[in-house]
């Protein structure tokens, strides 16, 4: 059956994408941006059949990622920050929507369905957010604003073969049952030209029953319920669009049951999270040239432990708030923006019989500012300079509290529609992340028996990152864009972990002591090439990326950055072979990976991977319903992305999208 599926997908995909003449309007260079390799419109997004945001981001062609459970993805953009990078930040309708939690960014908690999205733009490289934080890449998402009254919803279910899922608890011989789902969301909204209001609800769940991790989970977890990761997020949105005034506000509350795998601990942390969050942006046009803006956000996080057979970390309570005031102008020479702001963060932990909240160190207050200048050089060329700085006031162990950032970019649009871009970036950061295992130990937090043997560095060093990138694209035909990219990054002063995680054969936990080495340095070089072919009824993307570490004898830098495939080939095609019928095929090949921390008894070397997936989707009921059927890992090859992770097998995913509206949806948020 799997061989039949492969043949069907490839035969359908070969149609409009071949060299034959396809009827319809010819696409010209002016209609396809030279930077399109990092942009995806709504038509491409919906053909992928993904319901939740993480599974959609996973299919973006240049994206590197890994996971221990298949669903909570660790996105690391193009991998220039290494396998342990926090990954790019998500900005939705100009609002920062993600913040780090321990060693990752929880993308699954952003309340978005794929059907909410109008477009996605991936901006690789170092950058600075409106809250003053440095980030390794930005995923910009623009959402829809349907007019009139609208009810929209989506649900997705995934069934993985060979994994008995939750039925194993009642039937030891169970073979083929649902492993995840539902991933679901509901939207009720009303919109006009100037006003848009929306109430939504998002939920997701998946079972921790893969044979590579279930024994490890059950040696730690002691609940009378199945080990299931779930989260639910009611959320609201308000958007005002007027000639001189614009307002965008999003808020919500998230409850999550999680089994967070933390590499310093070598095992999962069964816990609950309660998040209350709000973020907003307002801008006022003072006149034709000047605009005043205000961005602010608030997050309150509280953790609680699930039943366990060991002593877990005490309950944590984290509060964060920021505000930024900006002033911008557009003149004949270009544009200029200056911003000033501040943020405060407080971390506390419950201790003792009375469960009193005890501060973990002093409150962290930070002041920041950044500015961007764009100069129009004429002949389709723009020179931009961004600078920023922030000062950590009241931080712990930061002898040099200033962090700064600068970015110089020259962007030239070719007459044919292609693009030439040269970017040089410098970031100098003193880590002030509170919610990390390392920082919790430094601040004297109680981690119980969950994370032992962690020895933090005597002080936190300044990490300097320099990056230069060259990108060029050209249309060799009106519908064929070729591109080439060369990126290099140097990191100095990195604080990297020193650990050897030994897998216990009895409970499958990775045990070992972790210390840290300061002042680590190294280089990353990554050339890549690819093309985008756009036809009236088809779009094909292809890319090849090579990554090389240049570290000399710096073992700890190498151990921290390695883990991603040095060679990665990715290709995809989106086709509409018939009216309201769509096909998406994605193929990805990666070379062998090495995770040195897990190399005891060979667990740290993972074989090369080849994955093929396809999605068939059909619009029904006057385009008010869309049904998609996805076949993941069609060849059923072994897909192990992390030594402590699951083995992803052949799976089938069903997605259903519906909408009821008294007016057609607008193309995208303006």
């Amino acid at each position: 059956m799997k061989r039949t599926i492969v043949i069907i997908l490839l035969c359908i995909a070969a149609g409009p994408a071949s060299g034959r003449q396809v009827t319809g309007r010819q696409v010209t260079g002016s209609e396809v941006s030279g930077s399109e390799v990092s942009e995806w419109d709504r038509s491409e997004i919906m053909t992928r059949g993904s319901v939740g945001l993480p599974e959609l981001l996973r299919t973006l062609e240049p994206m590197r990622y890994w996971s221990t459970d298949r669903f909570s993805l660790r996105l690391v953009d193009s991998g220039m920050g290494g396998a342990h990078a926090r990954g790019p930040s998500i900005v939705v309708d100009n609002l920062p929507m993600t913040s780090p939690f321990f060693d990752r960014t929880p993308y699954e908690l952003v309340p978005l369905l794929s059907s909410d999205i109008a477009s996605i733009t991936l901006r690789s490289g170092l950058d600075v957010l409106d809250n003053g934080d440095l980030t390794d890449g930005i995923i910009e998402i623009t959402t829809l604003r349907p007019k009139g009254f609208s009810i929209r919803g989506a649900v997705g279910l995934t069934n993985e073969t060979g994994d008995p899922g939750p039925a194993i608890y009642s039937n030891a011989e169970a073979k083929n049952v649902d492993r995840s789902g539902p991933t679901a969301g509901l939207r009720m909204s009303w919109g006009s030209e100037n006003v848009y209001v929306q109430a939504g609800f998002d939920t997701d769940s998946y079972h921790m029953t893969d044979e590579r991790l279930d024994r490890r989970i059950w040696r730690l977890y002691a609940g009378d319920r199945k080990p299931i990761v779930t989260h639910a997020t009611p959320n609201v949105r308000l958007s005002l669009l007027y000639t001189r005034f614009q307002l965008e506000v999003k808020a919500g509350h998230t409850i999550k049951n999680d089994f967070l795998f933390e590499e310093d601990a070598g095992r999962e942390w069964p816990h609950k999270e309660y998040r209350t969050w709000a973020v907003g942006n307002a801008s006022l046009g003072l006149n034709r040239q000047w605009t005043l803006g205000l961005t602010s956000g608030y997050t309150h996080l509280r953790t609680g432990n699930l039943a366990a057979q060991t002593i877990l970390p005490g309950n944590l309570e984290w509060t964060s708030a920021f505000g930024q005031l900006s002033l911008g102008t557009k003149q004949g020479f270009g544009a200029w923006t200056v911003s000033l702001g501040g943020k405060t963060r407080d971390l506390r932990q419950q201790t003792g019989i009375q469960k009193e909240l005890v501060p973990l160190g002093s409150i962290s207050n930070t002041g920041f500012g950044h500015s961007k200048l764009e100069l129009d050089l004429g002949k389709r060329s723009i020179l931009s300079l961004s600078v920023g700085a922030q000062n950590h006031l009241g931080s712990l162990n930061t002898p040099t509290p200033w962090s700064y950032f600068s970015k110089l970019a020259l962007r030239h649009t070719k007459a044919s529609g292609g693009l030439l871009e040269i970017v040089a970036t410098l970031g100098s950061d003193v880590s002030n992340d509170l919610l990390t295992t390392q920082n919790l130990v430094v601040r004297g937090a109680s981690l119980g028996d969950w994370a032992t043997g962690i020895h933090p560095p005597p002080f936190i060093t300044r990490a300097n990152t320099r990056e230069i990138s060259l990108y060029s694209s050209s249309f060799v035909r009106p519908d064929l864009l070729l591109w080439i990219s060369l990126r290099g990054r140097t990191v100095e002063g990195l604080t990297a972990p020193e650990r050897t995680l030994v897998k216990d054969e009895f409970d499958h936990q990775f045990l070992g002591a972790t210390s840290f080495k300061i002042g680590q340095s190294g280089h990353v070089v990554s050339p890549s090439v690819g093309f985008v072919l756009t036809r009236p009824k088809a779009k094909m993307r292809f890319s090849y990326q090579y990554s090389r570490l240049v570290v000399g004898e710096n073992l700890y830098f190498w151990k921290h950055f390695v883990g991603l495939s040095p060679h990665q080939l990715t290709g995809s095609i989106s086709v509409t072979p018939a009216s309201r019928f769509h096909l998406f095929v994605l193929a990805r090949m990666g070379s062998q990976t090495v995770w040195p921390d897990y190399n005891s008894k060979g667990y740290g070397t993972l074989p090369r991977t080849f994955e093929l997936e396809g999605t068939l989707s059909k619009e029904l009921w006057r385009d008010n319903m869309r049904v998609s059927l996805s076949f993941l890992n069609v060849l059923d090859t072994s897909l192990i992305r992390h030594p402590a992770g699951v083995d992803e097998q052949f799976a089938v995913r069903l997605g259903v999208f519906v909408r009821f509206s008294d007016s057609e949806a607008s193309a995208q948020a303006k």
Side-chain angles (χ1 to χ4, degrees), residues 25-34 36 415-418 474-482 532-536 538-539:
R25 183 175 59 87
Q26 184 72 11
V27 179
T28 64
S30 60
E31 296 171 307
V32 183
S33 167
E36 189 169 356
S416 63
S474 298
F475 285 95
V476 296
R477 287 183 359 206
D479 59 354
L480 180 59
L481 176 72
L482 300 183
V532 180
L533 175 64
T534 303
R535 305 298 296 271
K539 191 163 193 175

Side-chain angles (χ1 to χ4, degrees), residues 325-366:
L325 187 65
S326 62
L327 181 65
T329 182
K330 291 185 177 181
Q331 305 288 344
F333 61 84
W336 176 68
T337 303
V338 61
S339 304
L340 294 174
K343 57 187 174 184
T344 180
R345 289 176 288 184
D346 181 30
L347 180 61
R348 300 172 183 266
Q349 186 177 44
Q350 288 184 347
T351 60
I353 299 177
Q354 302 298 325
K355 302 294 183 180
E356 296 180 357
L357 281 172
V358 177
L360 296 177
S362 58
I363 296 177
S364 173
N365 298 312
T366 303

Side-chain angles (χ1 to χ4, degrees), residues 538-604:
K539 191 163 193 175
M540 178 183 292
R541 297 175 182 265
F542 173 83
S543 65
Y544 164 73
Q545 182 188 20
Y546 171 66
S547 297
R548 178 176 175 82
L549 293 174
V550 183
V551 298
E553 298 181 357
N554 197 320
L555 174 64
Y556 302 105
F557 182 92
W558 173 77
K559 291 176 66 175
H560 182 72
F561 267 71
V562 76
L564 302 175
S565 300
H567 303 271
Q568 177 162 296
L569 282 166
T570 306
S572 71
I573 181 170
S574 303
V575 186
T576 304
S579 176
R580 299 180 179 178
F581 178 69
H582 312 277
L583 169 69
F584 172 73
V585 177
L586 172 68
R588 182 179 281 124
M589 180 184 296
S591 56
Q592 177 181 283
T593 61
V594 178
W595 300 78
D597 293 343
Y598 302 83
N599 228 5
S600 174
K601 300 182 180 180
Y603 289 110

